[in-house]
Amino acid sequence: MNELFGHTRDVVKERYALRTPAGFVPSCLPGWRNCVGIVQISPGMGADFSQLLITFQKNSEGRGNTGRNEYVVYVLEGKCVATLNEKKHSLVTGSYAFVPPNCDFLFSQGKVGTRLLIFEKRFQSLDGYETPNVLVGHERAIKGNPFLGHEEARLQVLLPDHPSFDLAVNIFTYDPGATLPFVETHIMEHGLVMLKGQGVYRLDADYHPVQAGDVIWMAPYCPQWFVAMGTTTASYIYYKDVNRPALP
Ligand code: UGY
Ligand code: MN
């Protein structure tokens, strides 16, 4: 609940959006049964991908086929079983799955309260490269590397850095006081969830205090910068489109 009636930190602009859990409204999503589904980012906002938050209740399941789209599913909390092209994978907090196009999927047997973050995008093939296969991993197996040589800002790259992938999902962890080293402006679009801590995000020419649970969409070329504040590390998981020509 908002502390003050009529007040929100949510902002939806042409080039970026900040959304906070206090403003989330569930919607029914095809294939997802007995779940609470929140569409955090979608083309309705101006984005070229969707970002969903699914919270499992009793007997929840998500079933379907990815068709022309691909998903990256990250377990924010809890556990469940992902059946991907008939192969079962156990997922726990910090697990992630890349679900390629034309893949049958079933997410089920989840503990009540399990939260899945899903990035969904139309897959864009690249001449000379195969479509990637199902990939399942856990963030703990991915080393955090200093970002551009900065030990206090570390990046975990969850998916292979290979041209066959047209998206990346990374986790960025900042020590208190650490910053993105410069204000970035780039062709890639971002969808982001704050996982831990707090800080200030510069979006376009605006500065917003942010904390765990907040969601940000950044359109291509939206100037962006972050500083971690407070006494604890701050981290966020984010999506970006990569490895495809600027003129498709
Ligand atoms: O990968 C990125 O573009 C990343 N450095 N951007 C960000 O954290 N806002
Ligand atoms: Mn960026």
Side-chain angles (χ1 to χ4, degrees), residues 6 24 115 129 152 169 173 189 191 199 209 214 240 243 245:
F24 292 163
R115 292 185 303 132
Y129 291 92
E152 69 285 2
V169 174
T173 301
E189 188 177 12
D214 290 354
K240 70 195 225 187
N243 291 328

Side-chain angles (χ1 to χ4, degrees), residues 81-111:
V81 174
T83 310
L84 305 173
N85 278 341
E86 293 180 4
K87 188 161 183 261
K88 285 186 192 303
H89 306 267
S90 294
L91 306 183
V92 295
T93 305
S95 296
Y96 59 91
F98 169 77
V99 189
N102 300 312
C103 181
D104 289 326
F105 66 84
L106 171 65
F107 291 88
S108 61
Q109 297 171 52
K111 220 172 91 183

Side-chain angles (χ1 to χ4, degrees), residues 119-197:
F119 301 103
E120 178 175 4
K121 173 185 186 300
R122 175 65 48 90
F123 176 67
Q124 214 188 324
S125 60
L126 185 64
D127 284 352
Y129 291 92
E130 304 265 314
T131 303
N133 290 320
V134 168
L135 184 153
V136 176
H138 194 283
E139 68 176 44
R140 81 167 90 78
I142 310 283
K143 191 173 173 317
N145 287 318
F147 184 67
L148 302 176
H150 292 264
E151 298 282 346
E152 69 285 2
R154 297 168 297 277
L155 195 66
Q156 290 164 280
V157 177
L158 303 187
L159 299 177
D161 181 12
H162 186 271
S164 57
F165 285 86
D166 69 343
L167 82 174
V169 174
N170 304 332
I171 297 177
F172 218 145
T173 301
Y174 297 78
D175 291 340
T179 68
L180 249 189
F182 62 99
V183 180
E184 298 180 351
T185 307
H186 51 57
I187 187 173
M188 299 83 82
E189 188 177 12
H190 287 321
L192 179 156
V193 178
M194 288 294 298
L195 296 174
K196 284 188 207 144

Side-chain angles (χ1 to χ4, degrees), residues 2 10 28 32 48 62 67 75 83 90 94 114 166-167 179 195 198:
N2 293 322
D10 289 25
C28 294
W32 294 90
D48 209 20
V75 184
T83 310
S90 294
T114 295
D166 69 343
L167 82 174
T179 68
L195 296 174
Q198 55 192 318

Side-chain angles (χ1 to χ4, degrees), residues 211-233:
Q211 64 186 6
D214 290 354
V215 167
I216 298 173
W217 166 62
M218 291 170 245
Y221 304 110
C222 175
Q224 54 199 255
W225 177 82
F226 178 70
V227 56
M229 300 187 74
T231 53
T232 56
T233 57

